[in-house]
Amino acid sequence: QVHVVESGGGLVQPGGSLRLSCAASGSMFSIYAMGWYRQAPGKERELVAHISSGGGITNYADSVKGRFTISRHNARNMVYLQMNSLKPEDTAVYYCNTYPHQDRDYWGQGTQVTVSS
C-alpha cells in the first residue's frame, strides 16, 4: 500500500530551485512529525530536514541549512521542500516519511532530483 506520493523533482542547473511536494494519506497525518530524506547512488539514505506535527519547529542537515525550507499544510495532508541554490551534491532520490521513526510501509516511490549543467 502507498501512503505518500512525492513529486516535483527534475533536472535543474546548479544554483537553480525546485519545490518538492509530498501528498500523504491517513487520518493521523497531522499528529506526526515528518521528514524529507534523500538517497544518492552508492550512499545510504540520509535525513535532509524534519518538521514538527504542527509545523512550528523545523530542523535541517548542515549540508542544506540556509538553502532548503520544509513546510506542511495539515488540512491538505501535504508536506513540502523548497530547495534553492541547488548544488550537484544535492542529486538524489528524495523521499518523505514520518520522523523520527519511519514507517516501513510509508515509503513512496521518491522523486528524482538531478543538479547538473
Side-chain angles (χ1 to χ4, degrees):
Q1 57 183 350
V2 178
H3 294 277
V4 295
V5 177
E6 301 96 340
S7 62
L11 175 64
V12 65
Q13 295 179 215
S17 297
L18 286 172
R19 180 177 171 86
L20 307 185
S21 297
C22 172
S25 62
S27 60
M28 307 301 286
F29 170 78
S30 64
I31 74 170
Y32 290 108
M34 295 291 292
W36 279 98
Y37 306 80
R38 68 185 181 187
Q39 187 168 27
K43 290 192 171 185
E44 296 297 311
R45 181 180 290 119
E46 65 174 339
L47 178 68
V48 176
H50 61 94
I51 186 168
S52 61
S53 60
I57 302 173
T58 58
N59 285 282
Y60 302 89
D62 288 343
S63 59
V64 307
K65 189 175 183 179
R67 301 188 297 119
F68 290 11
T69 303
I70 188 171
S71 61
R72 67 192 298 165
H73 192 155
N74 284 344
R76 302 179 67 185
N77 276 25
M78 297 287 290
V79 61
Y80 307 97
L81 186 68
Q82 178 66 47
M83 307 186 296
N84 298 325
S85 302
L86 283 162
K87 304 175 180 179
E89 307 93 273
D90 297 317
T91 297
V93 178
Y94 285 70
Y95 304 88
C96 64
N97 208 325
T98 51
Y99 175 87
H101 304 294
Q102 300 88 60
D103 188 330
R104 296 192 180 278
D105 294 328
Y106 219 69
W107 295 110
Q109 80 286 352
T111 185
Q112 176 72 50
V113 172
T114 302
V115 185
S116 176
S117 60

